[in-house]
Amino acid sequence: MAHTSGSFPSAAAYADGVVGGTGAPFRRSDIESSAFTRLPELHKAVATAGADLDHTKTRRDHALSAGWLVLLFAPLALPLLAILAVRHEDSAVLLHVAIALICAGHIALRAKTR
């Protein structure tokens, strides 16, 4: 009997269908959905929330994640940049611009996560 996505009676039946050579690709959302078929309210919530588990990350997604991570830890460099700006007056404007950009970026990051 051919099953459609999320129509397996249990997670074990879904795993048997994938491993058994039926040609069905493994999808995390399907196994999560199959695990909760006996609990309708959880089944619906898991099926809705698990849709992003099947999303394949692209290079752009990875680059954005890395950029946000760098921006998250960038304020740790602010004391060093401030000391360098005081000691090297000739490049102080450039260092102050870097400090302002880091602060603005970090504020945007924190506002985005709220």
Side-chain angles (χ1 to χ4, degrees), residues 7-99:
S7 67
F8 288 90
S10 69
Y14 175 77
D16 287 340
V18 171
V19 175
T22 60
F26 174 75
R27 292 178 24 164
R28 290 182 181 131
S29 60
D30 285 346
I31 197 164
E32 290 288 334
S33 178
S34 297
F36 295 105
T37 53
R38 293 186 182 127
L39 304 168
E41 58 278 346
L42 282 178
H43 182 264
K44 183 178 179 182
V46 168
T48 303
D52 64 334
L53 291 174
D54 294 324
H55 174 71
T56 303
K57 299 264 186 198
T58 62
R59 283 184 151 179
R60 182 179 184 273
D61 294 331
H62 289 297
L64 282 173
S65 295
W68 286 118
L69 186 64
V70 168
L71 197 53
L72 180 66
F73 288 103
L76 295 174
L78 291 177
L80 176 64
L81 291 174
I83 290 169
L84 289 174
V86 170
R87 290 193 177 184
H88 302 287
E89 295 174 6
D90 54 333
S91 60
V93 173
L94 181 63
L95 290 169
H96 286 294
V97 168
I99 290 170

